[in-house]
Amino acid sequence: MRQNNTGAVDNAVGGHQSLQSLFSEWDNPVFSRYPEVAVDVSSGQAESLAVKIHNILYPYRFTKEMIHSMQVLQQVDNKFIACVMNTKPEENGKGGGNLLILVDQHAAHERIRLEQLITDSYEKQQPQGGGRKKLLSSTVIPPLEITVTEEQRRLLRCYHKNLEDLGLEFTFPDTSDCLVLVGKVPLCFVEREANELRRGRSTVTRSIVEEFIREQVELLQTTRGIQGTLPLTVQKVLASQACHGAIKFNDRLSPEESYRLIEALSWCQLPFQCAHGRPSMLPLADLGHLGHEKQIKPNLAKLRKMAQAWHLFGQAEGCDPKQSLQQSLAPCEPP
């Protein structure tokens, strides 16, 4: 009886996994799937992340451990930092790197700044009892008047205590069923507003808060809960801040500055991409393969014979080989 029960449990687990796999690949025509949020780099979810990088000939799987073996060579064209990386863990980086790579200095610094901004966006005091970390918030005077639907207002009122962890504080006036007052917003929204006004641009706080509320309402409608990762709207604001303050192309870096940049990148949770998802590094050549590959020289004698055969073929057909080649490559005219 115990064996039968065990077999039944295994079948149930296998069926559940098959069902989950089926649903994960199904494109629901009625209800759209909520977009996945990027990995929460503040919770250690990216510790075992490995990124597959391809060049023309050889695929490489970069890991965070490999970045610690990177050795800086020099800056290239005031845009990139040439480095060598050891892709062979068994050698532990003792004999130097075997892979020549270029690091995008802007993308690298942008990634470093983004992760620092994410860390600084949360309250320093750790939550009690395993609770969620709270985003730092700032008071808005006067409060922002945001128009919502009755259903959206009901959801915001039901979950307003949870939304305070995301830096949003609401009040719900009795004068209207389609109005909420936002008295606090995430601190990074206010910093973004100050940067925009400093550049002589128009205010952006209202549009960002409206987008943030729409994001959270859609999440509440689909999951009936608050996500545990960094909200996408907040991440976009922080990514913009990281970009504007990062090292730019054509900024000259000293060898010491290049070294510190690569060292800081090696401690990032997601070092292989910038704040917007662009690759931060590109493999150029595996030094271990350079001495073993033989360059294939063209067979000139064979090429001469092929040219003569093509020329004789054209004469036999009674046409110019060059002309027939051009005609064969010409696009077809529509009927």
PDB file of all heavy atoms in Angstrom, residues 65-66 69 71 85-99 286-288 292:
ATOM      1  N   GLU A  65      32.451  34.658 -11.150  1.00  0.00           N
ATOM      2  CA  GLU A  65      33.794  34.306 -10.687  1.00  0.00           C
ATOM      3  C   GLU A  65      34.853  34.670 -11.730  1.00  0.00           C
ATOM      4  O   GLU A  65      35.981  35.040 -11.378  1.00  0.00           O
ATOM      5  CB  GLU A  65      33.860  32.805 -10.366  1.00  0.00           C
ATOM      6  CG  GLU A  65      33.092  32.379  -9.125  1.00  0.00           C
ATOM      7  CD  GLU A  65      31.596  32.381  -9.334  1.00  0.00           C
ATOM      8  OE1 GLU A  65      31.172  32.406 -10.523  1.00  0.00           O
ATOM      9  OE2 GLU A  65      30.856  32.382  -8.334  1.00  0.00           O
ATOM     10  N   MET A  66      34.502  34.570 -13.001  1.00  0.00           N
ATOM     11  CA  MET A  66      35.465  34.896 -14.054  1.00  0.00           C
ATOM     12  C   MET A  66      35.842  36.375 -14.034  1.00  0.00           C
ATOM     13  O   MET A  66      36.974  36.739 -14.342  1.00  0.00           O
ATOM     14  CB  MET A  66      34.888  34.539 -15.424  1.00  0.00           C
ATOM     15  CG  MET A  66      34.706  33.053 -15.658  1.00  0.00           C
ATOM     16  SD  MET A  66      34.004  32.751 -17.296  1.00  0.00           S
ATOM     17  CE  MET A  66      33.760  30.961 -17.212  1.00  0.00           C
ATOM     18  N   SER A  69      38.794  37.460 -12.161  1.00  0.00           N
ATOM     19  CA  SER A  69      40.111  37.163 -12.725  1.00  0.00           C
ATOM     20  C   SER A  69      40.522  38.150 -13.811  1.00  0.00           C
ATOM     21  O   SER A  69      41.598  38.006 -14.390  1.00  0.00           O
ATOM     22  CB  SER A  69      40.102  35.746 -13.323  1.00  0.00           C
ATOM     23  OG  SER A  69      39.283  35.692 -14.488  1.00  0.00           O
ATOM     24  N   GLN A  71      42.045  41.119 -15.853  1.00  0.00           N
ATOM     25  CA  GLN A  71      43.225  41.968 -15.725  1.00  0.00           C
ATOM     26  C   GLN A  71      43.126  43.081 -16.757  1.00  0.00           C
ATOM     27  O   GLN A  71      42.938  42.837 -17.944  1.00  0.00           O
ATOM     28  CB  GLN A  71      44.500  41.160 -15.952  1.00  0.00           C
ATOM     29  CG  GLN A  71      44.669  39.983 -15.002  1.00  0.00           C
ATOM     30  CD  GLN A  71      45.904  39.180 -15.313  1.00  0.00           C
ATOM     31  OE1 GLN A  71      46.855  39.680 -15.912  1.00  0.00           O
ATOM     32  NE2 GLN A  71      45.903  37.910 -14.925  1.00  0.00           N
ATOM     33  N   MET A  85      40.514  37.829 -19.508  1.00  0.00           N
ATOM     34  CA  MET A  85      39.730  37.101 -18.516  1.00  0.00           C
ATOM     35  C   MET A  85      40.068  35.616 -18.601  1.00  0.00           C
ATOM     36  O   MET A  85      40.297  35.092 -19.694  1.00  0.00           O
ATOM     37  CB  MET A  85      38.235  37.314 -18.768  1.00  0.00           C
ATOM     38  CG  MET A  85      37.316  36.473 -17.903  1.00  0.00           C
ATOM     39  SD  MET A  85      35.596  36.497 -18.486  1.00  0.00           S
ATOM     40  CE  MET A  85      35.151  38.170 -18.090  1.00  0.00           C
ATOM     41  N   ASN A  86      40.062  34.969 -17.472  1.00  0.00           N
ATOM     42  CA  ASN A  86      40.316  33.533 -17.424  1.00  0.00           C
ATOM     43  C   ASN A  86      38.983  32.796 -17.453  1.00  0.00           C
ATOM     44  O   ASN A  86      38.171  32.912 -16.542  1.00  0.00           O
ATOM     45  CB  ASN A  86      41.096  33.171 -16.160  1.00  0.00           C
ATOM     46  CG  ASN A  86      41.461  31.697 -16.125  1.00  0.00           C
ATOM     47  OD1 ASN A  86      41.376  31.008 -17.136  1.00  0.00           O
ATOM     48  ND2 ASN A  86      41.879  31.220 -14.966  1.00  0.00           N
ATOM     49  N   THR A  87      38.718  32.042 -18.525  1.00  0.00           N
ATOM     50  CA  THR A  87      37.478  31.277 -18.646  1.00  0.00           C
ATOM     51  C   THR A  87      37.653  29.822 -18.235  1.00  0.00           C
ATOM     52  O   THR A  87      36.748  29.018 -18.443  1.00  0.00           O
ATOM     53  CB  THR A  87      36.964  31.326 -20.100  1.00  0.00           C
ATOM     54  OG1 THR A  87      37.930  30.705 -20.958  1.00  0.00           O
ATOM     55  CG2 THR A  87      36.731  32.757 -20.543  1.00  0.00           C
ATOM     56  N   LYS A  88      38.813  29.479 -17.675  1.00  0.00           N
ATOM     57  CA  LYS A  88      39.088  28.101 -17.262  1.00  0.00           C
ATOM     58  C   LYS A  88      39.186  28.057 -15.745  1.00  0.00           C
ATOM     59  O   LYS A  88      40.228  28.366 -15.165  1.00  0.00           O
ATOM     60  CB  LYS A  88      40.393  27.604 -17.899  1.00  0.00           C
ATOM     61  CG  LYS A  88      40.359  27.680 -19.433  1.00  0.00           C
ATOM     62  CD  LYS A  88      41.697  27.337 -20.043  1.00  0.00           C
ATOM     63  CE  LYS A  88      41.654  27.463 -21.566  1.00  0.00           C
ATOM     64  NZ  LYS A  88      42.956  27.183 -22.194  1.00  0.00           N
ATOM     65  N   PRO A  89      38.092  27.715 -15.071  1.00  0.00           N
ATOM     66  CA  PRO A  89      38.087  27.756 -13.599  1.00  0.00           C
ATOM     67  C   PRO A  89      39.137  26.860 -12.964  1.00  0.00           C
ATOM     68  O   PRO A  89      39.616  27.136 -11.867  1.00  0.00           O
ATOM     69  CB  PRO A  89      36.673  27.276 -13.241  1.00  0.00           C
ATOM     70  CG  PRO A  89      35.861  27.460 -14.483  1.00  0.00           C
ATOM     71  CD  PRO A  89      36.816  27.276 -15.623  1.00  0.00           C
ATOM     72  N   GLU A  90      39.519  25.766 -13.654  1.00  0.00           N
ATOM     73  CA  GLU A  90      40.477  24.846 -13.037  1.00  0.00           C
ATOM     74  C   GLU A  90      41.847  25.479 -12.853  1.00  0.00           C
ATOM     75  O   GLU A  90      42.654  25.035 -12.043  1.00  0.00           O
ATOM     76  CB  GLU A  90      40.606  23.566 -13.877  1.00  0.00           C
ATOM     77  CG  GLU A  90      41.167  23.777 -15.278  1.00  0.00           C
ATOM     78  CD  GLU A  90      40.097  24.180 -16.282  1.00  0.00           C
ATOM     79  OE1 GLU A  90      38.954  24.393 -15.845  1.00  0.00           O
ATOM     80  OE2 GLU A  90      40.408  24.282 -17.479  1.00  0.00           O
ATOM     81  N   GLU A  91      42.126  26.555 -13.635  1.00  0.00           N
ATOM     82  CA  GLU A  91      43.429  27.206 -13.498  1.00  0.00           C
ATOM     83  C   GLU A  91      43.420  28.302 -12.453  1.00  0.00           C
ATOM     84  O   GLU A  91      44.468  28.822 -12.079  1.00  0.00           O
ATOM     85  CB  GLU A  91      43.846  27.793 -14.853  1.00  0.00           C
ATOM     86  CG  GLU A  91      44.047  26.738 -15.930  1.00  0.00           C
ATOM     87  CD  GLU A  91      44.502  27.355 -17.238  1.00  0.00           C
ATOM     88  OE1 GLU A  91      44.689  28.591 -17.255  1.00  0.00           O
ATOM     89  OE2 GLU A  91      44.679  26.615 -18.215  1.00  0.00           O
ATOM     90  N   ASN A  92      42.199  28.707 -12.005  1.00  0.00           N
ATOM     91  CA  ASN A  92      42.057  29.688 -10.924  1.00  0.00           C
ATOM     92  C   ASN A  92      42.742  31.010 -11.216  1.00  0.00           C
ATOM     93  O   ASN A  92      43.151  31.720 -10.309  1.00  0.00           O
ATOM     94  CB  ASN A  92      42.589  29.124  -9.591  1.00  0.00           C
ATOM     95  CG  ASN A  92      41.797  27.926  -9.120  1.00  0.00           C
ATOM     96  OD1 ASN A  92      40.577  27.884  -9.262  1.00  0.00           O
ATOM     97  ND2 ASN A  92      42.484  26.937  -8.575  1.00  0.00           N
ATOM     98  N   GLY A  93      42.908  31.320 -12.470  1.00  0.00           N
ATOM     99  CA  GLY A  93      43.493  32.604 -12.823  1.00  0.00           C
ATOM    100  C   GLY A  93      44.960  32.739 -12.516  1.00  0.00           C
ATOM    101  O   GLY A  93      45.507  33.831 -12.544  1.00  0.00           O
ATOM    102  N   LYS A  94      45.642  31.640 -12.235  1.00  0.00           N
ATOM    103  CA  LYS A  94      47.046  31.740 -11.852  1.00  0.00           C
ATOM    104  C   LYS A  94      47.931  32.143 -13.027  1.00  0.00           C
ATOM    105  O   LYS A  94      48.856  32.923 -12.888  1.00  0.00           O
ATOM    106  CB  LYS A  94      47.525  30.398 -11.285  1.00  0.00           C
ATOM    107  CG  LYS A  94      46.740  29.922 -10.055  1.00  0.00           C
ATOM    108  CD  LYS A  94      46.996  30.804  -8.858  1.00  0.00           C
ATOM    109  CE  LYS A  94      46.311  30.242  -7.616  1.00  0.00           C
ATOM    110  NZ  LYS A  94      46.567  31.044  -6.422  1.00  0.00           N
ATOM    111  N   GLY A  95      47.625  31.597 -14.210  1.00  0.00           N
ATOM    112  CA  GLY A  95      48.505  31.846 -15.345  1.00  0.00           C
ATOM    113  C   GLY A  95      48.064  32.978 -16.226  1.00  0.00           C
ATOM    114  O   GLY A  95      48.477  33.046 -17.378  1.00  0.00           O
ATOM    115  N   GLY A  96      47.201  33.872 -15.746  1.00  0.00           N
ATOM    116  CA  GLY A  96      46.730  34.971 -16.566  1.00  0.00           C
ATOM    117  C   GLY A  96      45.505  34.556 -17.360  1.00  0.00           C
ATOM    118  O   GLY A  96      45.120  33.401 -17.407  1.00  0.00           O
ATOM    119  N   GLY A  97      44.877  35.544 -17.983  1.00  0.00           N
ATOM    120  CA  GLY A  97      43.648  35.284 -18.711  1.00  0.00           C
ATOM    121  C   GLY A  97      43.906  34.709 -20.085  1.00  0.00           C
ATOM    122  O   GLY A  97      44.971  34.888 -20.671  1.00  0.00           O
ATOM    123  N   ASN A  98      42.900  34.020 -20.606  1.00  0.00           N
ATOM    124  CA  ASN A  98      43.011  33.441 -21.943  1.00  0.00           C
ATOM    125  C   ASN A  98      42.069  34.104 -22.934  1.00  0.00           C
ATOM    126  O   ASN A  98      42.180  33.880 -24.137  1.00  0.00           O
ATOM    127  CB  ASN A  98      42.692  31.944 -21.904  1.00  0.00           C
ATOM    128  CG  ASN A  98      41.256  31.675 -21.478  1.00  0.00           C
ATOM    129  OD1 ASN A  98      40.903  31.942 -20.328  1.00  0.00           O
ATOM    130  ND2 ASN A  98      40.433  31.167 -22.380  1.00  0.00           N
ATOM    131  N   LEU A  99      41.136  34.942 -22.462  1.00  0.00           N
ATOM    132  CA  LEU A  99      40.149  35.554 -23.348  1.00  0.00           C
ATOM    133  C   LEU A  99      40.319  37.066 -23.341  1.00  0.00           C
ATOM    134  O   LEU A  99      40.266  37.706 -22.293  1.00  0.00           O
ATOM    135  CB  LEU A  99      38.729  35.193 -22.905  1.00  0.00           C
ATOM    136  CG  LEU A  99      37.600  35.677 -23.818  1.00  0.00           C
ATOM    137  CD1 LEU A  99      37.684  34.997 -25.175  1.00  0.00           C
ATOM    138  CD2 LEU A  99      36.245  35.419 -23.175  1.00  0.00           C
ATOM    139  N   ASP A 286      40.120  34.360 -28.232  1.00  0.00           N
ATOM    140  CA  ASP A 286      40.651  33.433 -27.238  1.00  0.00           C
ATOM    141  C   ASP A 286      42.137  33.239 -27.541  1.00  0.00           C
ATOM    142  O   ASP A 286      42.499  32.664 -28.564  1.00  0.00           O
ATOM    143  CB  ASP A 286      39.899  32.105 -27.300  1.00  0.00           C
ATOM    144  CG  ASP A 286      40.211  31.231 -26.094  1.00  0.00           C
ATOM    145  OD1 ASP A 286      41.355  31.283 -25.596  1.00  0.00           O
ATOM    146  OD2 ASP A 286      39.313  30.497 -25.649  1.00  0.00           O
ATOM    147  N   LEU A 287      42.967  33.718 -26.659  1.00  0.00           N
ATOM    148  CA  LEU A 287      44.409  33.658 -26.896  1.00  0.00           C
ATOM    149  C   LEU A 287      44.909  32.226 -26.965  1.00  0.00           C
ATOM    150  O   LEU A 287      45.939  31.952 -27.589  1.00  0.00           O
ATOM    151  CB  LEU A 287      45.147  34.430 -25.790  1.00  0.00           C
ATOM    152  CG  LEU A 287      44.702  35.884 -25.580  1.00  0.00           C
ATOM    153  CD1 LEU A 287      45.511  36.531 -24.467  1.00  0.00           C
ATOM    154  CD2 LEU A 287      44.843  36.678 -26.864  1.00  0.00           C
ATOM    155  N   GLY A 288      44.186  31.300 -26.351  1.00  0.00           N
ATOM    156  CA  GLY A 288      44.604  29.909 -26.385  1.00  0.00           C
ATOM    157  C   GLY A 288      44.437  29.262 -27.734  1.00  0.00           C
ATOM    158  O   GLY A 288      45.069  28.247 -28.029  1.00  0.00           O
ATOM    159  N   HIS A 292      47.059  27.666 -32.292  1.00  0.00           N
ATOM    160  CA  HIS A 292      46.739  26.319 -32.766  1.00  0.00           C
ATOM    161  C   HIS A 292      46.022  26.320 -34.112  1.00  0.00           C
ATOM    162  O   HIS A 292      45.971  25.305 -34.774  1.00  0.00           O
ATOM    163  CB  HIS A 292      45.851  25.615 -31.738  1.00  0.00           C
ATOM    164  CG  HIS A 292      46.491  25.506 -30.392  1.00  0.00           C
ATOM    165  ND1 HIS A 292      47.576  24.696 -30.142  1.00  0.00           N
ATOM    166  CD2 HIS A 292      46.205  26.134 -29.221  1.00  0.00           C
ATOM    167  CE1 HIS A 292      47.929  24.814 -28.858  1.00  0.00           C
ATOM    168  NE2 HIS A 292      47.104  25.683 -28.288  1.00  0.00           N
TER     169      HIS A 292
END
